[in-house]
Amino acid sequence: MEFKMLIGGDLVAGSGTMDVINPATAAVISQCPRGTAVDINAAVAAAKGAFPAWSELSVAERSQVLLKIADVVDANVDELARLITLEGGCPLEFTKFEAAGLAASLRYFAGLSLPETLIENSTSRRVRLVRRSLGVVAAITPWNFPFDVIGVKLPPALMAGNTVVLKPAGTTPLASLHLGRLIARIVPPGVVNVVSDANDLGDILTQHPDVRKVSFTGSTATGRRVMANAAATLKRLTLELGGNDAAIVLDDADVKKIATDIAFWAFFHAGQVCIGLKRLYVHASIYDSMCEELVAIAGKTVVGDGLTAGTQLGPLQNLKQFERALEYIADGRKHGKVIAGGERLPGPGYFIPPTVVRDITDGSRLVDEEQFCPVLPVIKYTEIDEVIRGINTSSFGLGGSVWSSDPSRALAVAERLNVGMVWINKHCDVATHIPFAGSKASGVGVEFGQEGLLDFTQIHIINEPAAQAT
Ligand code: ADP
């Protein structure tokens, strides 16, 4: 398969190439273009050139283009899922949903409109709030869900009348480049551009004076840098950053009933999920039984190449993340007791089995930081107020969950958590129509839902004198 960038409607090889690694084997899957500043500038210029005509189309006309993109994504789900698994490591069973998820998101946003609100219609004035397009949007995606994350950026950006430069992460560019090829004849030239880089063009893109908005998903550290880069030209920003989601298990929870779901969301995609379950607080009265259940589930998990049928847990996506995972295991050993997993698997791939660490407390790196790997700290508590206070002092505030046999008790705890999204007796329940937003250092702005569309628009207030009485 040949990979090219999409710039101004043309498939472009670029002046350099780079290797893309399969994390399950550490071998090269393919080469692809390594974009340069020249390519980024050409993509922004193409997007700027395409903006007037695209933004002047009606919402209904833009919606038709989104639906055509959705059709082509749906028709190529198997191929796209294979690429996402090859470059990202996540098992095929899940990447099929990831690929189809972009089509679902395109269809969802294609069905929305940009409402006009009548603010006042009185004897003194008539005021309307309408929504305008912004211009060129930089959509910067991460390596954990290289395709899924396109779905929170591309569809609403386009629907709102903006044009896009999509820049995937350096270790996972293939599915995005393939998408560019699939839609090259569907979207007008310049409306969507795809530029791959070796994680070295982000500064140029986010400082570019012709980019009006940056929609970024990635680490909190890089998010801060994006915000600083955007300052000079006061770009609009959506930042979806890190999280350290806590799950709290109350003393009345049915351990056997909930352990499978808890383990799933702790270990899904090797823990590389921004709203994954990253630390588990369990009441002392059921702590030992919860630890035992988690050990049993971890021991049964099938770890391996995501392309192999039956694999439940793939590798860490890249070497840097794999090495970080080993550091978190060492921290877990120092401050707690490793009761499942804890050793890398032999072989060249970046595999860490589901790892459970007990007898660990707040104040250790594994609990306080975002580990982003399949290493779950389980913390014993007796005072719920202390747990809530601890969670609320974290700099992160993405998601969280509360587990109990009594939903009203769980709700009372959930309402006190300072996080963007909280779930009861489940974790990570996201959908295209439900706004997704983090608090504190977990993010700025909103994705998905009507709010996620409006985040790609500029408010335009039209204030007229009162209509003359007839
Ligand atoms: P990691 O720290 O794990 O490499 P990042 O948050 O840096 O993850 O990566 C997420 C995305 O941000 C990738 O597409 C990456 O290329 C991009 N990126 C990296 N550095 C910058 C930067 N200075 N400005 C904008 N985007 C960047």
Side-chain angles (χ1 to χ4, degrees):
M1 205 176 226
E2 196 188 17
F3 296 95
K4 288 191 173 168
M5 299 184 285
L6 177 63
I7 301 177
D10 295 325
L11 292 169
V12 177
S15 54
T17 58
M18 59 185 191
D19 289 340
V20 182
I21 305 288
N22 176 351
T25 59
V28 174
I29 310 162
S30 171
Q31 291 204 314
C32 78
R34 176 176 176 175
T36 61
V38 171
D39 299 311
I40 279 286
N41 289 332
V44 173
K48 187 181 178 189
F51 174 68
W54 178 252
S55 59
E56 277 164 24
L57 290 181
S58 68
V59 164
E61 286 167 319
R62 291 199 293 264
S63 163
Q64 288 310 309
V65 177
L66 264 72
L67 293 175
K68 282 189 194 153
I69 305 176
D71 286 344
V72 82
V73 169
D74 270 338
N76 289 274
V77 158
D78 288 344
E79 196 172 36
L80 288 162
R82 203 180 128 75
L83 282 176
I84 302 166
T85 294
L86 268 173
E87 64 183 348
C90 193
L92 206 49
E93 179 192 345
F94 304 118
T95 55
K96 283 190 177 157
F97 285 108
E98 184 173 348
L102 175 59
S105 179
L106 285 155
R107 291 186 202 289
Y108 167 73
F109 282 106
L112 296 188
S113 58
L114 291 170
E116 175 179 317
T117 314
L118 187 59
I119 303 284
E120 182 179 335
N121 192 15
S122 68
T123 50
S124 43
R125 58 172 93 84
R126 176 175 147 83
V127 183
R128 285 174 299 137
L129 183 160
V130 298
R131 297 276 172 173
R132 296 181 69 99
S133 318
L134 289 166
V136 178
V137 169
I140 301 179
T141 53
W143 45 259
N144 59 338
F145 290 105
F147 218 66
D148 188 70
V149 174
I150 298 174
V152 296
K153 305 187 186 310
L154 191 74
L158 293 180
M159 199 56 195
N162 306 293
T163 54
V164 174
V165 176
L166 169 64
K167 196 207 75 59
T171 51
T172 53
L174 299 184
S176 302
L177 291 170
H178 192 53
L179 176 71
R181 178 182 289 275
L182 292 174
I183 66 173
R185 299 282 161 267
I186 294 177
V187 293
V191 168
V192 178
N193 305 272
V194 186
V195 177
S196 45
D197 73 340
N199 289 329
D200 53 356
L201 296 180
D203 284 334
I204 298 173
L205 184 58
T206 53
Q207 287 169 358
H208 199 298
D210 291 333
V211 170
R212 288 308 311 137
K213 166 163 180 145
V214 180
S215 175
F216 169 86
T217 301
S219 63
T220 298
T222 306
R224 283 196 187 95
R225 193 163 166 145
V226 168
M227 197 174 222
N229 284 346
T233 48
L234 292 169
K235 297 180 195 342
R236 300 294 183 265
L237 288 175
T238 304
L239 305 175
E240 202 263 275
L241 307 175
N244 191 15
D245 285 16
I248 308 174
V249 181
L250 302 188
D251 55 4
D252 64 356
D254 181 341
V255 168
K256 279 210 181 302
K257 199 166 150 196
I258 65 175
T260 306
D261 282 350
I262 286 184
F264 183 86
W265 288 114
F267 301 127
F268 174 52
H269 195 12
Q272 304 165 114
V273 182
C274 58
I275 45 168
L277 192 164
K278 305 221 170 88
R279 44 189 172 140
L280 181 64
Y281 292 86
V282 183
H283 190 268
S285 60
I286 51 172
Y287 184 77
D288 288 338
S289 54
M290 176 58 86
C291 288
E292 280 161 26
E293 282 298 316
L294 291 173
V295 169
I297 295 166
K300 281 188 277 186
T301 306
V302 182
V303 184
D305 190 327
L307 289 181
T308 307
T311 296
Q312 294 170 303
L313 192 83
L316 278 295
Q317 196 282 318
N318 58 67
L319 185 58
K320 187 172 113 189
Q321 202 56 32
F322 178 67
E323 286 169 349
R324 281 191 63 195
L326 295 174
E327 281 177 27
Y328 281 115
I329 291 176
D331 187 73
R333 270 192 217 296
K334 193 167 154 201
H335 298 283
K337 191 171 162 207
V338 175
I339 52 173
E343 301 292 339
R344 63 168 296 181
L345 296 191
Y350 310 142
F351 292 104
I352 306 263
T355 296
V356 181
V357 179
R358 61 168 289 166
D359 302 331
I360 190 162
T361 59
D362 286 8
S364 55
R365 281 189 62 196
L366 180 59
V367 178
D368 293 354
E369 297 179 7
E370 178 181 38
Q371 73 272 43
F372 228 59
C373 63
V375 182
L376 177 69
V378 188
I379 306 118
K380 187 191 288 184
Y381 79 87
T382 46
E383 293 299 327
I384 189 70
D385 288 346
E386 266 174 38
V387 176
I388 295 170
R389 208 176 306 121
I391 291 169
N392 287 345
T393 55
S394 166
S395 60
F396 291 114
L398 198 53
S401 56
V402 187
W403 304 70
S404 165
S405 297
D406 179 349
S408 61
R409 282 186 74 209
L411 186 62
V413 174
E415 285 173 342
R416 294 173 61 195
L417 296 179
N418 180 1
V419 294
M421 294 156 287
V422 65
W423 300 279
I424 290 169
N425 289 328
K426 55 187 177 176
H427 200 95
C428 206
D429 181 17
V430 294
T432 49
H433 62 288
I434 303 175
F436 182 112
S439 72
K440 299 188 275 183
S442 288
V444 172
V446 191
E447 295 179 317
F448 274 158
Q450 179 76 21
E451 287 84 351
L453 174 64
L454 300 183
D455 236 26
F456 284 91
T457 64
Q458 168 67 46
I459 284 180
H460 188 55
I461 298 292
I462 302 177
N463 190 331
E464 303 168 80
Q468 294 299 312
T470 49

